[in-house]
Short mmCIF file of all heavy atoms in Angstrom, two decimals:
data_model
loop_
_atom_site.label_atom_id
_atom_site.label_comp_id
_atom_site.label_asym_id
_atom_site.label_seq_id
_atom_site.Cartn_x
_atom_site.Cartn_y
_atom_site.Cartn_z
N MET A 119 -35.55 -20.48 5.61
CA MET A 119 -34.76 -21.58 5.05
C MET A 119 -33.72 -22.01 6.07
O MET A 119 -33.00 -21.20 6.64
CB MET A 119 -34.06 -21.08 3.78
CG MET A 119 -33.18 -22.12 3.14
SD MET A 119 -32.51 -21.44 1.61
CE MET A 119 -30.91 -22.18 1.64
N ARG A 120 -33.64 -23.29 6.26
CA ARG A 120 -32.70 -23.79 7.25
C ARG A 120 -31.54 -24.52 6.55
O ARG A 120 -31.75 -25.37 5.71
CB ARG A 120 -33.39 -24.74 8.21
CG ARG A 120 -34.46 -24.07 9.00
CD ARG A 120 -34.43 -24.58 10.43
NE ARG A 120 -35.37 -23.83 11.24
CZ ARG A 120 -34.99 -22.93 12.12
NH1 ARG A 120 -33.73 -22.67 12.31
NH2 ARG A 120 -35.89 -22.29 12.83
N VAL A 121 -30.32 -24.11 6.93
CA VAL A 121 -29.12 -24.78 6.44
C VAL A 121 -28.35 -25.26 7.65
O VAL A 121 -28.01 -24.47 8.54
CB VAL A 121 -28.24 -23.83 5.60
CG1 VAL A 121 -26.99 -24.52 5.13
CG2 VAL A 121 -29.04 -23.29 4.43
N LEU A 122 -28.10 -26.55 7.74
CA LEU A 122 -27.41 -27.14 8.89
C LEU A 122 -28.11 -26.80 10.20
O LEU A 122 -27.47 -26.56 11.22
CB LEU A 122 -25.95 -26.68 8.94
CG LEU A 122 -25.09 -27.03 7.72
CD1 LEU A 122 -23.72 -26.38 7.86
CD2 LEU A 122 -24.95 -28.53 7.58
N GLY A 123 -29.43 -26.73 10.15
CA GLY A 123 -30.20 -26.46 11.35
C GLY A 123 -30.17 -25.01 11.80
O GLY A 123 -30.56 -24.71 12.92
N MET A 124 -29.67 -24.10 10.96
CA MET A 124 -29.58 -22.69 11.35
C MET A 124 -30.53 -21.87 10.48
O MET A 124 -30.69 -22.14 9.29
CB MET A 124 -28.16 -22.16 11.17
CG MET A 124 -27.14 -22.78 12.10
SD MET A 124 -25.53 -22.06 11.92
CE MET A 124 -25.06 -22.62 10.31
N GLY A 125 -31.14 -20.87 11.06
CA GLY A 125 -31.98 -19.96 10.30
C GLY A 125 -31.17 -18.80 9.76
O GLY A 125 -29.95 -18.72 9.92
N THR A 126 -31.87 -17.89 9.09
CA THR A 126 -31.19 -16.75 8.46
C THR A 126 -30.46 -15.86 9.46
O THR A 126 -29.33 -15.46 9.20
CB THR A 126 -32.22 -15.92 7.67
OG1 THR A 126 -32.84 -16.77 6.70
CG2 THR A 126 -31.55 -14.77 6.95
N PRO A 127 -31.02 -15.54 10.62
CA PRO A 127 -30.27 -14.68 11.56
C PRO A 127 -28.94 -15.29 12.00
O PRO A 127 -27.93 -14.60 12.10
CB PRO A 127 -31.22 -14.53 12.74
CG PRO A 127 -32.57 -14.77 12.18
CD PRO A 127 -32.38 -15.79 11.10
N GLU A 128 -28.95 -16.59 12.25
CA GLU A 128 -27.71 -17.24 12.67
C GLU A 128 -26.67 -17.22 11.56
O GLU A 128 -25.48 -17.00 11.81
CB GLU A 128 -27.98 -18.68 13.11
CG GLU A 128 -28.77 -18.80 14.40
CD GLU A 128 -30.27 -18.81 14.16
OE1 GLU A 128 -30.68 -18.66 13.00
OE2 GLU A 128 -31.02 -18.93 15.15
N LEU A 129 -27.12 -17.46 10.33
CA LEU A 129 -26.18 -17.42 9.21
C LEU A 129 -25.59 -16.03 9.04
O LEU A 129 -24.40 -15.87 8.77
CB LEU A 129 -26.87 -17.86 7.91
CG LEU A 129 -27.07 -19.35 7.74
CD1 LEU A 129 -27.87 -19.63 6.47
CD2 LEU A 129 -25.75 -20.07 7.70
N LEU A 130 -26.41 -14.99 9.21
CA LEU A 130 -25.91 -13.62 9.10
C LEU A 130 -24.92 -13.33 10.21
O LEU A 130 -23.88 -12.69 9.98
CB LEU A 130 -27.07 -12.62 9.16
CG LEU A 130 -27.92 -12.51 7.90
CD1 LEU A 130 -29.08 -11.55 8.14
CD2 LEU A 130 -27.07 -12.04 6.73
N LEU A 131 -25.22 -13.80 11.41
CA LEU A 131 -24.30 -13.57 12.52
C LEU A 131 -22.96 -14.27 12.29
O LEU A 131 -21.93 -13.82 12.77
CB LEU A 131 -24.92 -14.07 13.83
CG LEU A 131 -26.02 -13.19 14.41
CD1 LEU A 131 -26.65 -13.84 15.64
CD2 LEU A 131 -25.48 -11.81 14.77
N LEU A 132 -22.97 -15.36 11.56
CA LEU A 132 -21.72 -16.06 11.27
C LEU A 132 -20.97 -15.45 10.09
O LEU A 132 -19.74 -15.42 10.09
CB LEU A 132 -22.00 -17.55 10.97
CG LEU A 132 -22.32 -18.42 12.17
CD1 LEU A 132 -22.69 -19.82 11.71
CD2 LEU A 132 -21.14 -18.48 13.13
N THR A 133 -21.69 -15.00 9.08
CA THR A 133 -21.01 -14.55 7.86
C THR A 133 -20.55 -13.10 7.92
O THR A 133 -19.52 -12.75 7.35
CB THR A 133 -21.93 -14.72 6.64
OG1 THR A 133 -23.14 -14.01 6.88
CG2 THR A 133 -22.22 -16.17 6.38
N VAL A 134 -21.27 -12.23 8.62
CA VAL A 134 -20.91 -10.81 8.64
C VAL A 134 -19.51 -10.58 9.21
O VAL A 134 -18.73 -9.84 8.61
CB VAL A 134 -21.98 -9.99 9.40
CG1 VAL A 134 -21.50 -8.58 9.69
CG2 VAL A 134 -23.27 -9.95 8.58
N PRO A 135 -19.12 -11.19 10.32
CA PRO A 135 -17.75 -10.97 10.80
C PRO A 135 -16.68 -11.42 9.81
O PRO A 135 -15.65 -10.76 9.66
CB PRO A 135 -17.67 -11.79 12.09
CG PRO A 135 -19.08 -11.93 12.53
CD PRO A 135 -19.90 -11.98 11.28
N PHE A 136 -16.94 -12.52 9.12
CA PHE A 136 -15.97 -13.00 8.13
C PHE A 136 -15.89 -12.04 6.95
O PHE A 136 -14.80 -11.78 6.42
CB PHE A 136 -16.33 -14.41 7.65
CG PHE A 136 -16.07 -15.46 8.67
CD1 PHE A 136 -17.12 -16.06 9.34
CD2 PHE A 136 -14.77 -15.84 8.98
CE1 PHE A 136 -16.87 -17.04 10.30
CE2 PHE A 136 -14.52 -16.80 9.94
CZ PHE A 136 -15.58 -17.41 10.60
N LEU A 137 -17.02 -11.48 6.53
CA LEU A 137 -17.00 -10.50 5.44
C LEU A 137 -16.26 -9.23 5.87
O LEU A 137 -15.49 -8.66 5.09
CB LEU A 137 -18.42 -10.17 5.00
CG LEU A 137 -19.18 -11.30 4.29
CD1 LEU A 137 -20.62 -10.87 4.03
CD2 LEU A 137 -18.49 -11.67 3.00
N LEU A 138 -16.48 -8.80 7.09
CA LEU A 138 -15.77 -7.62 7.60
C LEU A 138 -14.26 -7.89 7.68
O LEU A 138 -13.45 -7.03 7.31
CB LEU A 138 -16.31 -7.23 8.98
CG LEU A 138 -17.69 -6.58 8.99
CD1 LEU A 138 -18.16 -6.37 10.41
CD2 LEU A 138 -17.66 -5.26 8.24
N ALA A 139 -13.90 -9.07 8.16
CA ALA A 139 -12.48 -9.41 8.25
C ALA A 139 -11.85 -9.47 6.86
O ALA A 139 -10.71 -9.02 6.67
CB ALA A 139 -12.31 -10.75 8.96
N ALA A 140 -12.58 -9.99 5.89
CA ALA A 140 -12.06 -10.03 4.52
C ALA A 140 -11.89 -8.62 3.98
O ALA A 140 -10.88 -8.32 3.32
CB ALA A 140 -13.00 -10.84 3.63
N GLY A 141 -12.82 -7.74 4.25
CA GLY A 141 -12.70 -6.35 3.81
C GLY A 141 -11.51 -5.65 4.44
O GLY A 141 -10.77 -4.93 3.77
N VAL A 142 -11.30 -5.89 5.73
CA VAL A 142 -10.15 -5.29 6.41
C VAL A 142 -8.85 -5.83 5.84
O VAL A 142 -7.89 -5.08 5.64
CB VAL A 142 -10.25 -5.55 7.93
CG1 VAL A 142 -8.95 -5.19 8.63
CG2 VAL A 142 -11.41 -4.76 8.52
N ALA A 143 -8.81 -7.13 5.54
CA ALA A 143 -7.60 -7.73 4.97
C ALA A 143 -7.31 -7.14 3.59
O ALA A 143 -6.15 -6.82 3.28
CB ALA A 143 -7.76 -9.24 4.89
N ILE A 144 -8.33 -7.00 2.77
CA ILE A 144 -8.13 -6.40 1.43
C ILE A 144 -7.66 -4.96 1.56
O ILE A 144 -6.74 -4.54 0.84
CB ILE A 144 -9.44 -6.50 0.62
CG1 ILE A 144 -9.73 -7.95 0.27
CG2 ILE A 144 -9.37 -5.65 -0.63
CD1 ILE A 144 -11.10 -8.19 -0.32
N PHE A 145 -8.25 -4.21 2.48
CA PHE A 145 -7.83 -2.83 2.71
C PHE A 145 -6.37 -2.77 3.13
O PHE A 145 -5.60 -1.93 2.64
CB PHE A 145 -8.72 -2.19 3.78
CG PHE A 145 -8.33 -0.79 4.13
CD1 PHE A 145 -8.67 0.26 3.30
CD2 PHE A 145 -7.64 -0.53 5.30
CE1 PHE A 145 -8.31 1.56 3.63
CE2 PHE A 145 -7.27 0.75 5.64
CZ PHE A 145 -7.62 1.80 4.81
N ALA A 146 -5.96 -3.66 4.02
CA ALA A 146 -4.57 -3.68 4.48
C ALA A 146 -3.61 -4.01 3.34
O ALA A 146 -2.54 -3.41 3.24
CB ALA A 146 -4.41 -4.70 5.61
N ILE A 147 -3.99 -4.93 2.47
CA ILE A 147 -3.14 -5.29 1.33
C ILE A 147 -3.01 -4.09 0.39
O ILE A 147 -1.91 -3.76 -0.07
CB ILE A 147 -3.71 -6.52 0.60
CG1 ILE A 147 -3.56 -7.75 1.49
CG2 ILE A 147 -3.03 -6.73 -0.74
CD1 ILE A 147 -4.30 -8.97 1.00
N VAL A 148 -4.12 -3.43 0.10
CA VAL A 148 -4.09 -2.27 -0.79
C VAL A 148 -3.21 -1.17 -0.20
O VAL A 148 -2.39 -0.55 -0.90
CB VAL A 148 -5.52 -1.75 -1.06
CG1 VAL A 148 -5.50 -0.40 -1.75
CG2 VAL A 148 -6.29 -2.77 -1.90
N MET A 149 -3.33 -0.91 1.09
CA MET A 149 -2.52 0.12 1.74
C MET A 149 -1.04 -0.26 1.71
O MET A 149 -0.17 0.61 1.52
CB MET A 149 -2.97 0.34 3.18
CG MET A 149 -4.30 1.04 3.30
SD MET A 149 -4.26 2.70 2.59
CE MET A 149 -5.37 2.53 1.24
N ALA A 150 -0.74 -1.54 1.91
CA ALA A 150 0.66 -1.97 1.87
C ALA A 150 1.25 -1.79 0.48
O ALA A 150 2.39 -1.34 0.33
CB ALA A 150 0.76 -3.44 2.30
N VAL A 151 0.48 -2.10 -0.54
CA VAL A 151 0.95 -1.91 -1.92
C VAL A 151 1.19 -0.43 -2.19
O VAL A 151 2.21 -0.05 -2.79
CB VAL A 151 -0.07 -2.51 -2.92
CG1 VAL A 151 0.24 -2.08 -4.34
CG2 VAL A 151 -0.08 -4.02 -2.81
N ARG A 152 0.28 0.42 -1.74
CA ARG A 152 0.46 1.86 -1.94
C ARG A 152 1.70 2.37 -1.20
O ARG A 152 2.42 3.22 -1.71
CB ARG A 152 -0.78 2.61 -1.47
CG ARG A 152 -1.99 2.38 -2.37
CD ARG A 152 -3.18 3.17 -1.91
NE ARG A 152 -2.89 4.60 -2.08
CZ ARG A 152 -3.73 5.57 -1.73
NH1 ARG A 152 -4.88 5.27 -1.19
NH2 ARG A 152 -3.40 6.83 -1.92
N LEU A 153 1.94 1.84 -0.01
CA LEU A 153 3.10 2.25 0.77
C LEU A 153 4.39 1.85 0.07
O LEU A 153 5.35 2.63 0.00
CB LEU A 153 3.04 1.63 2.17
CG LEU A 153 4.18 1.99 3.11
CD1 LEU A 153 4.15 3.47 3.43
CD2 LEU A 153 4.06 1.17 4.39
N VAL A 154 4.43 0.64 -0.47
CA VAL A 154 5.62 0.17 -1.18
C VAL A 154 5.86 1.01 -2.42
O VAL A 154 7.00 1.41 -2.71
CB VAL A 154 5.49 -1.33 -1.54
CG1 VAL A 154 6.56 -1.76 -2.51
CG2 VAL A 154 5.54 -2.16 -0.27
N ARG A 155 4.81 1.32 -3.16
CA ARG A 155 4.97 2.14 -4.36
C ARG A 155 5.45 3.55 -4.02
O ARG A 155 6.29 4.11 -4.73
CB ARG A 155 3.65 2.22 -5.13
CG ARG A 155 3.31 0.91 -5.82
CD ARG A 155 2.05 1.02 -6.63
NE ARG A 155 1.74 -0.24 -7.29
CZ ARG A 155 0.59 -0.50 -7.85
NH1 ARG A 155 -0.38 0.39 -7.85
NH2 ARG A 155 0.38 -1.66 -8.44
N ALA A 156 4.94 4.10 -2.93
CA ALA A 156 5.39 5.43 -2.50
C ALA A 156 6.86 5.39 -2.09
O ALA A 156 7.62 6.31 -2.39
CB ALA A 156 4.52 5.93 -1.35
N ALA A 157 7.26 4.33 -1.42
CA ALA A 157 8.67 4.19 -1.03
C ALA A 157 9.56 4.06 -2.25
O ALA A 157 10.68 4.62 -2.29
CB ALA A 157 8.84 2.97 -0.12
N GLU A 158 9.10 3.35 -3.26
CA GLU A 158 9.88 3.23 -4.50
C GLU A 158 10.02 4.58 -5.19
O GLU A 158 11.09 4.92 -5.69
CB GLU A 158 9.23 2.22 -5.44
CG GLU A 158 9.34 0.77 -4.98
CD GLU A 158 8.54 -0.18 -5.83
OE1 GLU A 158 7.71 0.29 -6.65
OE2 GLU A 158 8.73 -1.39 -5.68
N ARG A 159 8.93 5.35 -5.22
CA ARG A 159 9.01 6.69 -5.82
C ARG A 159 9.96 7.58 -5.04
O ARG A 159 10.74 8.34 -5.63
CB ARG A 159 7.61 7.33 -5.87
CG ARG A 159 6.74 6.80 -6.97
CD ARG A 159 5.53 7.69 -7.20
NE ARG A 159 4.76 7.95 -5.98
CZ ARG A 159 3.77 7.18 -5.55
NH1 ARG A 159 3.43 6.10 -6.23
NH2 ARG A 159 3.11 7.49 -4.45
N THR A 160 9.91 7.49 -3.73
CA THR A 160 10.80 8.30 -2.90
C THR A 160 12.26 7.91 -3.13
O THR A 160 13.13 8.78 -3.25
CB THR A 160 10.44 8.13 -1.41
OG1 THR A 160 9.07 8.49 -1.23
CG2 THR A 160 11.33 8.98 -0.53
N ALA A 161 12.52 6.62 -3.22
CA ALA A 161 13.89 6.16 -3.46
C ALA A 161 14.37 6.62 -4.83
O ALA A 161 15.53 7.05 -4.98
CB ALA A 161 13.95 4.64 -3.36
N ALA A 162 13.50 6.56 -5.83
CA ALA A 162 13.89 7.00 -7.18
C ALA A 162 14.17 8.50 -7.19
O ALA A 162 15.15 8.95 -7.81
CB ALA A 162 12.80 6.65 -8.18
N ALA A 163 13.33 9.27 -6.50
CA ALA A 163 13.55 10.71 -6.46
C ALA A 163 14.83 11.05 -5.71
O ALA A 163 15.59 11.92 -6.13
CB ALA A 163 12.35 11.39 -5.78
N THR A 164 15.09 10.35 -4.62
CA THR A 164 16.33 10.58 -3.86
C THR A 164 17.55 10.25 -4.70
O THR A 164 18.55 10.98 -4.70
CB THR A 164 16.31 9.73 -2.58
OG1 THR A 164 15.15 10.05 -1.83
CG2 THR A 164 17.55 9.98 -1.74
N GLU A 165 17.46 9.15 -5.44
CA GLU A 165 18.58 8.77 -6.31
C GLU A 165 18.79 9.81 -7.40
O GLU A 165 19.94 10.16 -7.74
CB GLU A 165 18.31 7.40 -6.91
CG GLU A 165 19.46 6.86 -7.74
CD GLU A 165 19.17 5.48 -8.30
OE1 GLU A 165 18.21 4.84 -7.84
OE2 GLU A 165 19.92 5.06 -9.21
N ALA A 166 17.71 10.32 -7.98
CA ALA A 166 17.83 11.34 -9.03
C ALA A 166 18.46 12.61 -8.47
O ALA A 166 19.32 13.23 -9.13
CB ALA A 166 16.46 11.63 -9.62
N ILE A 167 18.06 13.01 -7.28
CA ILE A 167 18.63 14.21 -6.67
C ILE A 167 20.12 14.00 -6.38
O ILE A 167 20.94 14.88 -6.66
CB ILE A 167 17.87 14.57 -5.38
CG1 ILE A 167 16.46 15.04 -5.74
CG2 ILE A 167 18.61 15.63 -4.57
CD1 ILE A 167 15.54 15.17 -4.54
N ALA A 168 20.45 12.83 -5.85
CA ALA A 168 21.86 12.55 -5.53
C ALA A 168 22.71 12.53 -6.79
O ALA A 168 23.83 13.07 -6.80
CB ALA A 168 21.97 11.22 -4.79
N SER A 169 22.21 11.93 -7.86
CA SER A 169 23.00 11.87 -9.09
C SER A 169 23.14 13.26 -9.70
O SER A 169 24.20 13.61 -10.24
CB SER A 169 22.37 10.90 -10.10
OG SER A 169 21.11 11.37 -10.52
N GLU A 170 22.10 14.09 -9.58
CA GLU A 170 22.19 15.46 -10.10
C GLU A 170 23.20 16.27 -9.28
O GLU A 170 24.00 17.03 -9.85
CB GLU A 170 20.81 16.12 -10.05
CG GLU A 170 20.79 17.57 -10.49
CD GLU A 170 21.14 17.77 -11.96
OE1 GLU A 170 21.09 16.79 -12.73
OE2 GLU A 170 21.46 18.91 -12.32
N MET A 171 23.20 16.08 -7.97
CA MET A 171 24.17 16.79 -7.14
C MET A 171 25.59 16.33 -7.46
O MET A 171 26.52 17.15 -7.55
CB MET A 171 23.86 16.56 -5.66
CG MET A 171 22.61 17.25 -5.18
SD MET A 171 22.17 16.85 -3.49
CE MET A 171 23.55 17.55 -2.62
N ALA A 172 25.77 15.04 -7.67
CA ALA A 172 27.09 14.52 -8.01
C ALA A 172 27.54 15.06 -9.37
O ALA A 172 28.71 15.39 -9.57
CB ALA A 172 27.07 13.00 -8.02
N ARG A 173 26.59 15.14 -10.31
CA ARG A 173 26.93 15.66 -11.64
C ARG A 173 27.35 17.13 -11.55
O ARG A 173 28.32 17.54 -12.17
CB ARG A 173 25.72 15.52 -12.57
CG ARG A 173 26.02 15.89 -14.03
CD ARG A 173 24.74 15.98 -14.85
NE ARG A 173 23.87 17.06 -14.41
CZ ARG A 173 24.04 18.34 -14.74
NH1 ARG A 173 25.08 18.73 -15.47
NH2 ARG A 173 23.18 19.26 -14.31
N ARG A 174 26.62 17.91 -10.76
CA ARG A 174 26.96 19.32 -10.64
C ARG A 174 28.31 19.51 -9.94
O ARG A 174 29.06 20.41 -10.30
CB ARG A 174 25.88 20.05 -9.84
CG ARG A 174 24.61 20.23 -10.62
CD ARG A 174 23.60 21.02 -9.84
NE ARG A 174 22.33 21.10 -10.56
CZ ARG A 174 21.32 21.83 -10.17
NH1 ARG A 174 21.39 22.53 -9.05
NH2 ARG A 174 20.21 21.85 -10.87
N ASN A 175 28.59 18.69 -8.96
CA ASN A 175 29.86 18.81 -8.25
C ASN A 175 31.03 18.34 -9.10
O ASN A 175 32.15 18.79 -8.90
CB ASN A 175 29.83 18.01 -6.94
CG ASN A 175 28.99 18.70 -5.89
OD1 ASN A 175 28.82 19.91 -5.92
ND2 ASN A 175 28.45 17.92 -4.97
N ALA A 176 30.79 17.46 -10.06
CA ALA A 176 31.86 16.94 -10.91
C ALA A 176 32.11 17.84 -12.11
O ALA A 176 33.08 17.64 -12.82
CB ALA A 176 31.50 15.52 -11.37
N THR A 177 31.24 18.80 -12.36
CA THR A 177 31.39 19.66 -13.53
C THR A 177 32.47 20.71 -13.26
O THR A 177 32.37 21.45 -12.27
CB THR A 177 30.06 20.37 -13.85
OG1 THR A 177 29.07 19.39 -14.03
CG2 THR A 177 30.18 21.21 -15.10
N PRO A 178 33.50 20.80 -14.12
CA PRO A 178 34.54 21.81 -13.90
C PRO A 178 33.99 23.22 -14.10
O PRO A 178 33.11 23.44 -14.94
CB PRO A 178 35.57 21.48 -14.98
CG PRO A 178 35.23 20.14 -15.49
CD PRO A 178 33.78 19.93 -15.22
N GLY A 179 34.49 24.15 -13.32
CA GLY A 179 34.12 25.55 -13.50
C GLY A 179 32.77 25.92 -12.98
O GLY A 179 32.18 26.90 -13.42
N ASN A 180 32.24 25.18 -12.04
CA ASN A 180 30.92 25.53 -11.52
C ASN A 180 31.02 26.44 -10.30
O ASN A 180 30.02 26.68 -9.64
CB ASN A 180 30.10 24.28 -11.22
CG ASN A 180 30.74 23.41 -10.15
OD1 ASN A 180 31.81 23.73 -9.64
ND2 ASN A 180 30.08 22.33 -9.79
N GLY A 181 32.20 26.89 -9.97
CA GLY A 181 32.37 27.82 -8.87
C GLY A 181 32.66 27.16 -7.55
O GLY A 181 32.79 27.84 -6.54
N ASN A 182 32.76 25.84 -7.54
CA ASN A 182 33.04 25.15 -6.27
C ASN A 182 34.53 24.90 -6.05
O ASN A 182 34.91 24.46 -4.98
CB ASN A 182 32.29 23.81 -6.21
CG ASN A 182 30.79 24.03 -6.09
OD1 ASN A 182 30.36 25.07 -5.61
ND2 ASN A 182 30.02 23.04 -6.51
N GLN A 183 35.34 25.15 -7.06
CA GLN A 183 36.77 24.85 -6.91
C GLN A 183 37.49 25.99 -6.24
O GLN A 183 37.19 27.13 -6.43
CB GLN A 183 37.42 24.60 -8.29
CG GLN A 183 37.11 23.26 -8.86
CD GLN A 183 35.74 23.17 -9.51
OE1 GLN A 183 35.17 24.18 -9.91
NE2 GLN A 183 35.21 21.98 -9.58
#
């Protein structure tokens, strides 16, 4: 079958790189989203640890005075 004067091999040679590039782009987006979510979890955990440390230090009679 000819489309725009090209046969099947030519069409495959044109479309495969674009499909690979699209796959790489989707993979990069997914990895970026996972990285952002991991950073948010890390920030939340750091904040929880800091607030717990502040709470313990503010408690009277904990042996730090």
Side-chain angles (χ1 to χ4, degrees):
M119 178 176 145
R120 297 220 174 253
V121 178
L122 300 174
M124 294 183 291
T126 303
E128 291 88 357
L129 282 175
L130 285 177
L131 286 175
L132 285 175
T133 56
V134 168
F136 287 107
L137 291 175
L138 287 174
V142 169
I144 291 170
F145 177 78
I147 291 169
V148 169
M149 289 298 115
V151 168
R152 290 183 66 182
L153 181 65
V154 168
R155 288 183 180 167
E158 289 172 349
R159 283 194 307 271
T160 302
T164 303
E165 184 179 346
I167 291 169
S169 65
E170 177 65 17
M171 289 175 65
R173 186 191 65 80
R174 288 184 184 186
N175 285 335
T177 303
N180 62 358
N182 291 336
Q183 283 80 23

